């Protein structure tokens, strides 16, 4: 098994490709989610520590008969939970090829061609965002790591060792920002949360007020976080206005676009992102709205040398000898990781193989599905929208006639039970959000397979499942 013959390897590949083809071809026949338990799954797996090898066909059989059916089907067109990309067959193949080469993208000499592929692909993303030609960055594991790297660079730019550093983010900002502040020694308590408006966008007046108050109190403001698609509602903050505030107070402006930034490719949403190219850094996830499989996040720096000052570290065992500038390049100088997978290959293969025109059309289709769902809800007499649809996230509640005179708490409790029942039913899958202290059903469309009909099916599924939860009048 460690060293299969060429014929054996070809047989393995054929059986795996056949499994992939069957899986993708039968996606709509699967339930999105199968209600199960840890014990049920463990009982289906042979738990004995293996001392002898198992035939490859048996391994594939376990994957087909246990791992697939007892997993959540993230590629399903009605997987609306969280911010979940479906992955693509092209990316799956790219991951196989990247693992075959097994490159470690630390420095140029370690993986010359893969490093050049990553540098090229990062530059393509820079161009998509409209950043300056000098901007650069790297691929990381995801948005959380990208946010951490960017905030480390922001602290470096302030060139301050003060324990009174302060950063600013809306109350809708992802928790990875506060987590990064804690890990970097800035402290969660020094992440100042700014109020949002009725569209869940940061209030610039409150931002200015909080910065001014902190300056008077002796704090050292250094960074403001803007959202390009919040995880709860998809809200996009007023980026150009935030840039003006950052300039006024000499703050680093970081944009968390992990979910939404690639929607800049869609013509109908492009105006929302005006000013994104003026950020000092941005986090975004190709494994979200470029439809790629995890893990591949990305951080772009307007001035990469600031990031280099934050992350570069010299050691004799990593000293690069006898190389010119381009060939002396080291990714470890621009982020926290040393060992790094060849994440860029699937990004490169997708952009090169699919092209921006097709990706733009797919994102437009996702946006259209969310807008259509909003129209269905507004036209109904038993559902209500609880946040405006800005990108592809929709938040709503089911309020059947039996509950119209009940309290908010009763309606919230009913929708909580409805969410669990829908997930266990398996035909469609939603997650949840708390908005204005009220419970909401929440969906996010990030799948090129999703159609307008799927949005109709979702409402039908909810009504069907709800019948067992409410008492007829």
């Amino acid at each position: 098994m460690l060293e299969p013959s060429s014929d054996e390897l070809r047989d393995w590949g054929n059986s795996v490709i056949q499994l992939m083809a069957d899986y993708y071809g039968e996606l709509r026949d699967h339930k999105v989610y199968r209600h199960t338990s840890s014990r049920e799954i463990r009982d289906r797996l042979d738990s004995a520590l293996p001392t002898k090898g198992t035939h490859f066909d048996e391994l594939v059989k376990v994957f087909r008969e246990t791992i697939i059916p007892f997993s959540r089907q993230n590629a399903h067109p009605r997987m609306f939970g969280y911010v979940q990309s479906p992955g693509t067959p092209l990316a799956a193949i790219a991951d196989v090829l990247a693992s075959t080469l097994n490159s470690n993208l630390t420095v140029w000499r370690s993986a010359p061609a893969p490093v050049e592929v990553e540098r090229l692909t990062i530059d393509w993303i820079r161009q998509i965002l409209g950043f300056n030609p000098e901007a650069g960055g790297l691929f990381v594991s995801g948005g959380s790591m990208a946010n951490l790297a960017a905030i480390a660079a922001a602290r470096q730019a302030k060139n301050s060792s003060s324990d009174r550093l302060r950063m600013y983010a809306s109350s809708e900002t992802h928790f990875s920002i506060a987590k990064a502040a804690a890990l970097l020694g800035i402290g969660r308590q020094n992440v100042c949360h700014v109020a949002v408006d009725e569209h869940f966008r940061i209030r610039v007046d409150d931002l200015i007020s909080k910065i001014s108050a902190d300056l008077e109190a002796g704090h050292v403001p250094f960074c403001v976080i803007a959202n390009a698609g919040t995880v709860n509602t998809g809200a996009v903050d007023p980026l150009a206005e935030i840039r003006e505030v950052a300039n006024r107070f000499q703050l680093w402006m970081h944009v968390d676009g992990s979910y939404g930034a690639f929607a800049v490719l869609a013509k109908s949403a492009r105006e929302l992102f005006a000013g994104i190219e003026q950020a000092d850094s941005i986090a975004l996830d190709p494994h979200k709205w470029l439809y790629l499989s995890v893990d591949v996040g990305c951080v772009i720096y307007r001035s990469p040398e600031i990031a280099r000052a934050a992350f570069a570290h010299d050691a004799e065992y990593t000293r690069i000898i006898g190389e010119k500038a381009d060939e002396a390049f080291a990714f470890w100088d621009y982020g926290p990781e040393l060992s790094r997978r060849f994440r860029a290959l699937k990004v490169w293969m997708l952009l090169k193989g699919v092209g921006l025109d097709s990706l733009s059309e797919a994102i437009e289709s996702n946006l259209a599905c969310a807008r259509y769902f909003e129209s269905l809800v507004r036209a109904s007499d038993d559902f209500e929208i609880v946040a405006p649809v800005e990108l592809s996230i929709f938040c709503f509640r089911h309020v059947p006639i039996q509950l119209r005179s009940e309290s908010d708490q009763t309606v919230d409790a009913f929708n909580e039970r409805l969410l669990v029942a829908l997930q266990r039913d398996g035909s469609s899958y939603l997650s949840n959000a708390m908005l204005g202290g009220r419970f909401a059903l929440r969906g996010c469309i990030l799948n090129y397979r999703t159609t307008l009909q799927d949005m109709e099916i979702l409402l039908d599924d909810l009504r069907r499942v709800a019948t067992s939860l409410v008492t007829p009048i």
Side-chain angles (χ1 to χ4, degrees):
M1 289 286 279
L2 283 178
E3 189 66 68
S5 68
S6 295
D7 287 341
E8 286 176 318
L9 189 54
R10 191 174 295 109
D11 288 342
W12 292 3
N14 288 339
S15 64
V16 168
I17 292 298
Q18 185 60 57
L19 185 150
M20 289 173 61
D22 292 343
Y23 177 74
Y24 287 124
E26 299 167 355
L27 260 176
R28 285 189 175 273
D29 299 328
H30 286 284
K31 286 191 172 185
V32 185
Y33 184 77
R34 177 174 181 166
H35 183 49
T36 185
S37 67
S38 174
R39 173 56 61 189
E40 183 179 8
I41 296 170
R42 278 185 285 169
D43 285 347
R44 295 177 66 92
L45 298 171
D46 182 0
S47 61
L49 181 65
T51 56
K52 303 294 183 182
T54 302
H55 195 276
F56 182 79
D57 289 346
E58 181 62 27
L59 302 178
V60 173
K61 181 181 178 182
V62 172
F63 186 83
R64 181 190 301 109
E65 297 181 358
T66 298
I67 296 177
I68 288 178
F70 286 87
S71 295
R72 192 179 68 203
Q73 309 307 318
N74 293 331
H76 194 285
R78 289 193 302 282
M79 170 55 200
F80 299 123
Y82 320 108
V83 186
Q84 180 61 60
S85 168
T88 68
L90 190 60
I93 291 170
D95 276 338
V96 170
L97 295 175
S99 294
T100 299
L101 191 57
N102 194 29
S103 296
N104 188 0
L105 280 68
T106 52
V107 294
W108 190 91
R109 70 183 178 197
S110 295
V115 165
E116 293 298 343
V117 168
E118 179 160 346
R119 293 169 80 176
L120 172 62
T121 310
I122 288 290
D123 193 64
W124 287 348
I125 293 174
R126 175 198 66 77
Q127 293 177 56
I128 289 171
L129 297 171
F131 266 60
N132 55 297
E134 295 76 28
L138 71 165
F139 293 119
V140 292
S141 59
S144 294
M145 186 61 75
N147 283 330
L148 184 144
I151 293 170
R155 181 178 60 180
Q156 179 68 36
K158 193 66 176 181
N159 194 24
S160 173
S161 59
S162 171
D163 60 358
R164 295 179 67 80
L165 288 173
R166 295 279 270 184
M167 51 192 290
Y168 304 85
S170 88
S171 55
E172 290 294 298
T173 298
H174 194 268
F175 72 81
S176 62
I177 296 296
K179 187 173 182 178
L183 292 172
L184 291 167
I186 296 164
R188 295 176 190 266
Q189 73 280 7
N190 286 315
V191 179
C192 183
H193 286 114
V194 181
V196 295
D197 62 17
E198 67 275 12
H199 294 281
F200 300 95
R201 302 168 187 157
I202 196 169
R203 279 179 42 194
V204 174
D205 61 331
D206 192 51
L207 173 64
I208 294 171
S209 176
K210 284 184 164 59
I211 295 171
S212 300
D214 279 348
L215 285 169
E216 289 184 11
H219 291 289
V220 182
F222 79 103
C223 180
V224 57
I225 310 296
N227 293 297
T230 58
V231 72
N232 269 338
T233 68
V236 179
D237 290 332
L239 303 176
E241 292 180 49
I242 294 172
R243 178 74 265 179
E244 292 176 4
V245 174
N247 290 343
R248 174 179 168 184
F249 292 101
Q250 297 182 307
L251 307 182
W252 181 282
M253 177 186 171
H254 173 62
V255 174
D256 184 358
S258 300
Y259 153 57
F262 280 115
V264 74
L265 289 169
K267 186 176 180 180
S268 67
R270 199 163 295 153
E271 288 186 6
L272 292 171
F273 300 95
I276 197 170
E277 75 284 351
Q278 301 175 39
D280 293 299
S281 58
I282 180 168
L284 61 168
D285 276 343
H287 68 213
K288 290 190 172 74
W289 228 336
L290 284 190
Y291 307 114
L292 292 169
S293 50
V294 292
D295 62 355
V296 56
C298 177
V299 57
I300 302 288
Y301 308 108
R302 168 175 292 278
S303 300
E305 287 309 302
I306 295 175
R308 192 178 192 282
F311 290 108
H313 190 84
D314 293 327
E316 178 60 28
Y317 47 81
T318 60
R319 184 162 64 95
I320 299 171
I321 303 171
E323 299 284 10
K324 296 179 181 179
D326 272 352
E327 291 76 22
F329 178 82
F331 276 119
W332 66 52
D333 285 341
Y334 299 92
E337 296 175 303
L338 181 56
S339 298
R340 302 173 64 252
R341 297 176 59 237
F342 191 6
R343 298 182 177 106
L345 184 61
K346 57 188 169 188
V347 187
W348 178 82
M349 287 186 74
L350 180 87
L351 293 176
K352 191 76 171 174
V354 175
L356 292 187
D357 289 348
S358 292
L359 287 169
S360 298
E361 290 173 8
I363 294 171
E364 286 283 16
S365 176
N366 293 161
L367 298 173
C369 283
R371 294 167 188 150
Y372 179 61
F373 185 81
E374 182 179 27
S375 71
L376 292 176
V377 169
R378 292 192 186 281
S380 74
D381 59 4
D382 55 345
F383 289 92
E384 61 182 23
I385 286 289
V386 297
V389 171
E390 192 149 63
L391 294 175
S392 69
I393 291 176
F394 50 92
C395 296
F396 66 109
R397 276 191 290 268
H398 187 25
V399 190
I401 188 171
Q402 298 93 328
L403 297 180
R404 288 181 190 169
S405 61
E406 298 291 340
S407 67
D408 289 345
Q409 291 76 14
T410 298
V411 174
D412 286 351
F414 165 74
N415 277 271
E416 281 198 39
R417 289 186 289 120
L418 178 59
L419 174 66
V420 174
L422 180 78
Q423 291 175 344
R424 291 181 175 180
D425 174 74
S427 177
S428 299
Y429 193 103
L430 293 170
S431 55
N432 53 284
M434 288 297 292
L435 300 172
R438 298 290 309 281
F439 182 87
L441 302 171
R442 175 195 168 280
C444 178
I445 306 166
L446 280 183
N447 193 329
Y448 48 88
R449 300 182 181 93
T450 303
T451 66
L452 299 182
Q453 185 181 14
D454 287 309
M455 311 318 297
E456 297 171 0
I457 293 172
L458 171 59
L459 283 185
D460 290 342
D461 285 341
L462 285 163
R463 289 183 174 119
R464 173 177 53 80
V465 171
T467 57
S468 64
L469 303 179
V470 295
T471 303
I473 290 177

